[in-house]
């Protein structure tokens, strides 16, 4: 199979999927190793970008998803009459940032940082699928720990939680918690 | 303080209010004039109008903390400076710094949020959902109508294959792939294809490397689907391309 | 707005819709008359075709839909149809036949006959209750022996396994090469 054919296959896979497709799934489907699959995806993504196409490919934690180009936003919105997206409130934004940088984190730990109850904010973020339960802490009461989702990455256009813009004073990472168990 | 009404719910919490005061007064966070800050903080609480107790309690806890720090600092020092314990302000400073970092980053995030809002992601297509949820649940469906005779033929085939395997002369010949395709399987194949695309050309339903038998079975499957009124074919002109599409209820 | 930009807009509209979009809706959105809109769509469709891309545009009674290219169909199907989702595969059919005729039989013996691993096939048949454990062979390791189930008999309409078609008839069926099944 020629490279251009593989590129077409990757294009069709990304087009048809309504979610981010893991690199491994793409590699397996086109029967290539991950490095080759990745190169093909990136070639395609670059082509979209260079040719200023109506679609783009974004990376989300080692998975890939096709989306519309930002330049086409107004038109799509007009056709679907979709309302402007309401931004998050400051409380939600702050809570979300805490979860993103400190994950996995419990509600009590969030409250400690913000100094206010996080009950409403956390449940709101879970409802918006920006945050989800990722396990339970191995301490008395086994409190739920939260982490960010792929929807969170899409919401801000981040590639991965490891590539978030650094906190102003991010040198100290003592906040990392390692005594938790991931729930299946 | 002037005659202005303060709404505490404008502040996301006591830390936010404290942080606001520090910013406003250009206070050095590492050397907080705790007495002045405490006074201002309390003034804000006084000015706050009709705040419900639930929202208020968190602010009051912070007020207590501030007063405690203030009183500790006011106590006469009985020891030399070296022996002095940790600065009572330290914990508060650490919390404020932590909060400042988060607050700082959210400014940047606002921009990202706006930019990312310009991009749309497609919902999972029904097509994909249909393709995915296809595990046959019923045994009858799983077995696809095979009969005892099919089973018998399959067995025959396996045993023959096994015998030819030890045949040195024959095994040096190129092996001919003996694929078994069922009409049922091919009907499913065509159905799946029409899930992904509303219409298909006649030629596209045959796999690129299909051998004769597979093509025959595929064709039989197409005829069966037409008979069952699941698909329809059309041809715009004589010798033109034949198009296959889902049956739309019209004849 | 340049033509290539309009083309990108049309591309994004067709991508995000997932279903057929009426020509009139596209024309209205890009603020062009229908003829122009149609020309743009056809240019895009031709481009996809000429470049043998993974997606295509099809026309359906005055509406347009983006869909995957027929050449990519096999791959898409493979990605979404894992083997355990499919019905009776050739491997399963053969394994079932061997168990039916050679029971009681161990997995190693099945593998001996088919020349490939029978692990997946046997466990799938057990899961479907067509095959079950019937005892253990009195050899080192005491391997499990498999046989057909009552479900199997019920489905094929036999009272007992002794009523399977006899093997001697093999020659009669040899020439027919009926290795496909026509359904009722």
């Amino acid at each position: 199979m020629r490279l251009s054919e593989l590129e077409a296959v990757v294009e069709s896979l990304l087009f048809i999927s309504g979610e981010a497709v893991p690199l491994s799934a793409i590699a397996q489907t086109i029967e290539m190793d991950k490095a080759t699959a990745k190169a093909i995806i990136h070639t395609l993504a670059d082509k979209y970008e260079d040719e200023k196409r109506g679609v783009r490919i974004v990376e989300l934690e080692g998975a890939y998803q096709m989306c519309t180009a930002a330049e086409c936003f107004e038109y799509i919105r007009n056709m679907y009459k979709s309302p402007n997206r309401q931004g998050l409130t400051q409380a939600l934004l702050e809570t979300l940032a805490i979860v993103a940088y400190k994950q996995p984190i419990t509600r009590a730990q969030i409250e400690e940082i913000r100094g206010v109850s996080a009950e409403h904010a956390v449940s709101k973020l879970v409802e918006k699928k920006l945050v989800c339960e990722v396990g339970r802490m191995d301490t008395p009461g086994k409190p739920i720990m939260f982490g960010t989702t792929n929807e969170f990455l899409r919401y801000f256009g981040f590639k991965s939680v490891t590539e978030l813009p650094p906190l102003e004073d991010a040198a100290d990472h003592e906040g990392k918690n390692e005594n938790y168990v991931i729930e299946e | 303080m002037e005659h202005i009404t303060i709404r505490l719910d404008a502040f996301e919490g006591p830390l936010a209010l404290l942080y606001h005061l520090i910013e406003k007064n250009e206070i050095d966070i590492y050397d907080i004039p705790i007495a002045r800050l405490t006074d201002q903080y309390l003034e804000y609480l006084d000015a706050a109008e009709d705040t419900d107790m639930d929202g208020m309690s968190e602010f009051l806890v912070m007020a207590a903390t501030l007063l405690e720090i203030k009183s500790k600092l006011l106590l006469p020092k009985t020891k030399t400076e070296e022996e002095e314990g940790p600065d009572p302000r330290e914990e508060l400073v650490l919390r404020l710094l932590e909060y400042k970092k988060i607050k700082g980053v959210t400014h940047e995030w606002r921009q990202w949020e706006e930019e990312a809002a310009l991009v749309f992601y497609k919902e999972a297509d029904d097509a994909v959902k249909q393709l995915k949820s296809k595990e046959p649940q019923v045994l009858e469906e799983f077995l696809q109508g095979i009969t005892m005779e099919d089973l018998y033929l399959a067995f025959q085939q396996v045993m023959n294959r096994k015998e030819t395997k030890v045949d040195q002369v024959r095994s040096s010949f190129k092996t001919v792939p003996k694929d078994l395709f069922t009409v049922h399987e091919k009907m499913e194949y065509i159905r799946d294809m029409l899930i992904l695309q509303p219409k298909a050309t006649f030629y596209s339903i045959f796999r690129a490397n299909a051998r004769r038998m597979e093509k025959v079975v595929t064709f039989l499957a197409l005829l069966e689907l037409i008979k069952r009124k699941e698909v329809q074919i059309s041809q715009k002109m004589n010798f033109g391309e034949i198009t296959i599409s889902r049956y739309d209820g019209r004849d």
Side-chain angles (χ1 to χ4, degrees), chain A, chain B:
Chain A
M1 197 177 215
R2 278 172 308 138
L3 199 65
S4 63
E5 285 169 1
L6 288 179
E7 200 180 285
V9 170
V10 168
E11 184 174 44
S12 72
L13 292 175
L14 293 176
F15 162 73
I16 200 69
S17 171
E19 57 197 355
V21 191
L23 176 61
S24 57
I26 296 173
Q28 205 184 347
T29 306
I30 62 171
E31 289 166 356
M32 289 284 158
D33 59 86
K34 280 196 197 174
T36 311
K38 192 169 180 171
I40 293 170
I41 298 164
H42 283 263
T43 308
L44 190 61
D46 290 347
K47 196 181 276 180
Y48 287 165
E49 200 113 3
D50 294 344
E51 296 176 5
K52 294 200 196 306
R53 303 288 300 275
V55 292
R56 295 296 148 87
I57 295 170
V58 293
E59 192 183 339
L60 297 156
E61 300 288 10
Y64 294 88
Q65 187 165 2
M66 199 182 269
C67 62
T68 58
E71 301 92 85
C72 304
F73 170 73
E74 285 294 338
Y75 296 91
I76 298 169
R77 203 187 53 175
N78 285 345
M79 190 156 95
Y80 291 99
K81 297 175 181 64
S82 57
N84 256 339
R85 192 169 79 177
Q86 202 91 58
L88 295 176
T89 63
Q90 185 62 22
L92 290 187
L93 194 60
E94 282 177 20
T95 309
L96 188 53
I98 292 169
V99 175
Y101 284 99
K102 306 278 181 181
Q103 59 187 314
I105 187 171
T106 66
R107 218 178 66 194
Q109 291 171 324
I110 299 170
E111 288 170 352
E112 202 158 303
I113 296 175
R114 290 198 58 237
V116 281
S117 163
E119 192 174 340
H120 174 74
V122 169
S123 68
K124 199 83 191 162
L125 290 172
V126 169
E127 185 189 305
K128 285 178 179 286
K129 294 196 172 64
L130 295 167
V131 154
C132 67
E133 295 185 15
V134 292
R136 283 182 182 264
M137 196 184 245
D138 200 10
T139 56
K142 299 215 177 291
I144 297 166
M145 311 200 68
F146 296 91
T148 53
T149 61
N150 268 0
E151 182 56 33
F152 157 75
L153 295 176
R154 277 188 287 263
Y155 188 86
F156 290 99
F158 295 137
K159 270 191 188 136
S160 154
V161 284
T162 57
E163 289 179 39
L164 297 178
L167 279 179
E168 207 177 310
D169 192 358
D172 57 322
H173 262 300
E174 20 80 71
K176 279 255 175 189
N177 243 303
E178 268 153 48
N179 50 346
Y180 61 89
V181 274
I182 300 290
E183 266 192 328
E184 278 308 307
Chain B
M1 202 121 180
E2 291 150 53
H3 241 38
I4 49 165
T5 51
I6 306 293
R7 292 187 57 83
L8 275 186
D9 53 13
F11 294 97
E12 289 304 337
L15 272 178
L17 172 53
L18 217 48
Y19 185 72
H20 165 77
L21 294 173
I22 286 171
E23 293 266 278
K24 197 178 113 191
N25 296 314
E26 290 171 9
I27 289 173
D28 176 7
I29 207 163
Y30 293 96
D31 188 21
I32 297 172
I34 204 80
R36 201 172 98 211
L37 191 65
T38 304
D39 292 346
Q40 288 198 5
Y41 183 89
L42 292 175
E43 274 172 37
Y44 258 88
L45 291 203
D46 281 343
E49 59 167 22
D50 55 64
T51 310
D52 64 298
M53 281 312 289
D54 270 355
M56 199 67 186
S57 60
E58 286 151 348
F59 286 89
L60 292 175
V61 170
M62 177 59 78
T65 308
L66 288 171
L67 288 168
E68 193 192 348
I69 297 170
K70 187 177 160 188
S71 62
K72 273 186 186 164
L73 286 171
L74 287 174
L75 284 177
K77 293 193 178 88
T78 53
K79 297 168 187 168
T80 61
E81 272 189 29
E82 286 98 308
E83 287 166 352
E84 207 177 298
D87 190 323
R89 295 175 297 181
E90 190 176 314
E91 204 199 317
L92 182 67
V93 169
L94 286 177
R95 286 185 68 187
L96 278 167
L97 284 174
E98 188 74 28
Y99 183 71
K100 188 183 168 198
K101 275 193 274 180
I102 295 295
K103 197 137 178 91
V105 88
T106 56
H107 284 299
E108 209 181 352
W109 281 31
R110 279 273 179 236
Q111 265 173 311
W112 289 94
E113 182 188 31
E114 272 168 36
E115 278 170 37
L118 303 179
V119 169
F120 292 100
Y121 293 85
K122 194 162 65 164
E123 299 270 304
D125 267 3
D126 279 350
V128 170
K129 286 183 203 147
Q130 283 180 52
L131 272 188
K132 274 184 177 172
S133 57
K134 279 262 177 127
E135 164 94 11
Q137 292 305 324
V138 201
L139 193 59
E140 275 68 20
E141 198 187 320
F142 177 74
L143 288 169
Q144 306 171 0
I146 64 155
T147 64
M148 204 58 226
E149 197 181 9
D150 300 319
L151 210 56
Y152 172 72
L153 286 169
F155 183 68
Q156 213 63 62
Q157 221 177 11
V158 179
M159 297 315 277
N160 287 343
R161 205 165 59 209
K162 202 195 166 206
E163 278 151 31
T164 48
K165 208 177 278 168
V166 287
D167 187 325
Q168 287 304 315
V169 184
R170 278 202 200 176
S171 60
S172 66
F173 293 148
K174 266 189 179 169
T175 51
V176 178
K178 239 186 169 182
D179 294 320
L180 183 139
F181 296 98
T182 66
V183 171
H184 187 97
E185 227 171 65
K186 282 297 173 193
M187 285 164 65
E188 197 61 15
Y189 186 86
I190 297 169
R191 280 190 200 112
D192 282 349
M193 191 174 239
L194 291 176
I195 287 173
L196 288 180
Q197 46 193 88
K199 52 188 185 184
T201 65
F202 178 71
Y203 295 103
S204 69
I205 66 168
F206 301 98
R207 295 197 315 145
N209 303 317
R211 289 174 178 278
R212 209 176 117 256
M213 187 50 74
E214 186 182 343
K215 285 182 181 160
V216 171
V217 176
T218 306
F219 187 65
L220 289 173
L222 177 62
L223 293 180
E224 183 64 26
L225 286 170
I226 296 168
K227 196 180 95 188
R228 292 186 181 194
K229 288 196 185 311
E230 284 190 44
V231 308
Q232 59 189 17
I233 57 171
S234 61
Q235 190 175 25
K236 285 220 171 104
M237 56 187 134
N238 282 342
F239 310 113
E241 203 167 47
I242 298 171
T243 312
I244 303 161
S245 55
R246 271 165 280 176
Y247 185 69
D248 61 8
R250 287 179 289 186
D251 278 310

